[in-house]
Amino acid sequence: MWYNERIEKCKNSSSPRFSLCCGDGKVERSLLQNPLKLLHQLLFDQNTADGKNYQQNIRTYNMMFAFTSAGIKLDKSMTHSRGPPTIRIQGQPCHRIGSLLPMPGK
């Protein structure tokens, strides 16, 4: 949530409260589990070539996934509705991307 989406906008709070995302505290998420060992090394270990490379290029990797083709099942029943363009996705979206490894010899 953005800071301006807080409930009490007139107060300058260091711990703002929000209601859209969690129903004003009614919804609680469990703590995240530790990432897989390889992912943890990529994110936090600067002593390896892979970790250093990943950390220096993390924005590039993120942009690469942002521009991959989305694999979705499109519900076309809303394509002719009035108002701004709207799409409805059925099921779970995914990224359609090839191998992250270069072709042999490249």
Side-chain angles (χ1 to χ4, degrees), residues 62-102:
N62 186 52
M63 288 186 291
M64 177 192 65
F65 283 113
F67 284 100
T68 59
S69 298
I72 60 172
K73 182 178 179 188
L74 185 61
D75 179 355
K76 296 183 181 183
S77 66
M78 299 186 69
T79 55
H80 301 295
S81 63
R82 294 177 49 161
T86 305
I87 65 168
R88 184 180 349 187
I89 298 172
Q90 296 176 339
Q92 180 176 357
C94 64
H95 291 288
R96 290 188 178 162
I97 187 170
S99 174
L100 297 177
L101 300 175

